[in-house]
Amino acid sequence: MAHTEALNVLAAEMGFAHWKELTDATKEGWLPGDEDLAKAGEFVRQVGAKTEATASTRDFQHNDEPTSEEGELCGHQFQIGDYLGDVIVSGVGWELRIPEAPFKAPIVEIDERYAETSPVREPEFLSKLLDIAKERSKRIRAQMAVDWPRRSTKADLDGVARHPIGGGEASVWYCHSCDVQITGTQLAKNYWHCPNCGTHPLNIHMEPFDSKSPGKPAETPNDAQRETPEVRIVEPRLTLHLNEETVSVLIRCALLEDATSVNERLGAMRAEISLIDGEEVWITFDELLWPEDKEPTSALAVAAKLGLEVEQELSLFTEPFAWPDLGSVTSKTEEFTATLLKAYEEHGVIKR
């Protein structure tokens, strides 16, 4: 905040309407007592300002902010901490995150096993929890900004702001993550996170990624967007989704185990694998690469482990190479490649 604003806030902590009223009182003999000084010192500590001009950056940085602490709200236990500038409050089956960037909305994640009973579904509980988290977030942002240049947290009258990490001053900056233009005022207020995509300060630069297409100006999210939490029902446990993609990868891996020649490996790689109604795997082989009488025993075993039936068929695909029989007489890809190159050199052409 501006210096004059800071003085007025400090005066209010000592019971005065503004700083001038405090200075007028001192002229009439008023002096702050021990209680006043203690109150002012606690206020300064809470907002994250340095209390000693000689304090080094390393000694001061986050030293007043505990890593995590326990709390209770409306009979529910919670733990509050921070990670890379984000404030994280968590309880049984839920987590609240306040992003470091002030323009981003809070995020609430609820374990789907507690979706109906979680206290964060109650508006009153969530509102009080947000107040606790936002207060801590303000302190963390203040402590972070202590080590930044003044011009990084408050643009001048022309909107010029200084990058807190890379240096340099400009009134217009560019996000190399989503390619938008951002004013210095927007960045200073958003702690140098892009207001459009939320990326970190390292992706903010003085020059656009593409000078011919500098991007559109970024819009600042309105207060409603920032204040309304995004609520997600999640499955936090490690989850194996046995969908077509996963099943296909496992079956194809097993087909490669079954393959004993280069042709068969090519057939395993080019086979079409489909999952039908979550109950049956359909494998279509290239008839020129996979022998008609060869049973894919490993693939059948994997399918059985997954509880799936298997159907197989042969079809004629577009060949990747001429002379499809070449790969059936060797199991070494190096030998097959040498033979293939020699054949193309003698009877065709090779383009690189």
Side-chain angles (χ1 to χ4, degrees):
M1 62 178 67
H3 183 231
T4 53
E5 184 183 353
L7 292 176
N8 288 333
V9 170
L10 196 57
E13 288 295 314
M14 297 190 186
F16 295 93
H18 44 70
W19 187 253
K20 185 177 184 306
E21 185 175 298
L22 183 149
T23 57
D24 288 344
T26 61
K27 294 175 182 178
E28 296 177 4
W30 176 85
L31 290 174
D34 292 341
E35 184 178 345
D36 294 317
L37 292 175
K39 185 186 294 185
E42 176 61 18
F43 170 73
V44 169
R45 190 194 71 81
Q46 287 289 338
V47 298
K50 287 183 179 177
T51 55
E52 296 180 15
T54 57
S56 69
T57 296
R58 177 171 298 183
D59 291 340
F60 174 77
Q61 190 174 19
H62 295 274
N63 64 351
D64 286 333
E65 200 64 58
T67 302
S68 62
E69 54 189 16
E70 307 290 334
E72 182 178 333
L73 179 63
C74 301
H76 298 280
Q77 301 293 322
F78 67 83
Q79 185 178 58
I80 184 169
D82 57 89
Y83 178 72
L84 297 178
D86 293 356
V87 171
I88 301 173
V89 193
S90 58
V92 177
W94 57 266
E95 179 181 283
L96 166 67
R97 180 184 294 264
I98 304 291
E100 178 184 291
F103 288 170
K104 293 194 71 175
I107 299 170
V108 178
E109 291 189 345
I110 304 174
D111 187 327
E112 64 179 13
R113 294 169 294 178
Y114 300 88
E116 301 300 325
T117 59
S118 178
V120 292
R121 301 301 294 266
E122 301 172 12
E124 183 179 358
F125 178 87
L126 181 56
S127 177
K128 292 179 179 178
L129 193 67
L130 283 167
D131 289 341
I132 294 171
K134 287 177 180 177
E135 184 60 35
R136 179 164 177 138
S137 184
K138 287 179 182 177
R139 299 204 307 267
I140 290 174
R141 289 169 184 156
Q143 290 176 347
M144 184 194 324
V146 162
D147 299 320
W148 286 3
R150 168 67 173 155
R151 192 53 67 210
S152 296
T153 57
K154 189 175 181 62
D156 66 14
L157 296 177
D158 296 321
V160 174
R162 179 181 300 168
H163 198 293
I165 301 173
E169 296 187 353
S171 59
V172 177
W173 294 79
Y174 301 89
C175 176
H176 282 200
S177 178
C178 66
D179 295 326
V180 296
Q181 299 180 38
I182 318 169
T183 68
T185 301
Q186 284 176 309
L187 287 170
K189 289 182 177 180
N190 202 33
Y191 281 73
W192 288 83
H193 289 264
C194 175
N196 184 57
C197 69
T199 189
H200 50 76
L202 292 176
N203 275 338
I204 306 300
H205 298 268
M206 295 179 68
E207 302 294 335
F209 183 78
D210 183 355
S211 59
K212 295 181 180 179
S213 180
K216 297 180 179 180
E219 294 184 5
T220 299
N222 60 42
D223 291 339
Q225 290 175 297
R226 291 184 239 170
E227 295 296 326
T228 304
E230 179 184 342
V231 180
R232 306 170 181 169
I233 306 298
V234 300
E235 173 53 86
R237 295 169 295 183
L238 294 174
T239 304
L240 174 62
H241 296 281
L242 292 177
N243 51 28
E244 183 168 275
E245 181 181 3
T246 304
V247 170
S248 295
V249 168
L250 292 172
I251 296 296
R252 197 176 304 281
C253 186
L255 288 175
L256 288 167
E257 286 182 22
D258 291 318
T260 57
S261 69
V262 172
N263 259 20
E264 291 175 13
R265 287 202 297 271
L266 289 172
M269 288 161 50
R270 290 169 57 78
E272 294 180 356
I273 304 172
S274 303
L275 180 64
I276 301 174
D277 298 329
E279 299 177 353
E280 185 178 65
V281 177
W282 194 282
I283 308 174
T284 303
F285 292 104
D286 186 335
E287 63 183 28
L288 295 179
L289 297 175
W290 192 268
E292 184 177 359
D293 58 350
K294 184 179 180 67
E295 195 77 355
T297 54
S298 294
L300 293 175
V302 168
K305 291 289 185 182
L306 297 173
L308 301 170
E309 298 292 330
V310 178
E311 289 290 340
Q312 305 174 52
E313 68 173 354
L314 293 173
S315 183
L316 186 62
F317 294 177
T318 301
E319 277 301 299
F321 310 115
W323 308 287
D325 290 339
L326 289 178
S328 61
V329 296
T330 179
S331 63
K332 296 183 179 298
T333 307
E334 180 185 1
E335 183 179 327
F336 169 73
T337 303
T339 305
L340 190 69
L341 290 172
K342 183 178 179 181
Y344 271 100
E345 287 172 348
E346 291 180 0
H347 304 287
V349 63
I350 300 174
K351 294 185 177 180
R352 300 183 183 274

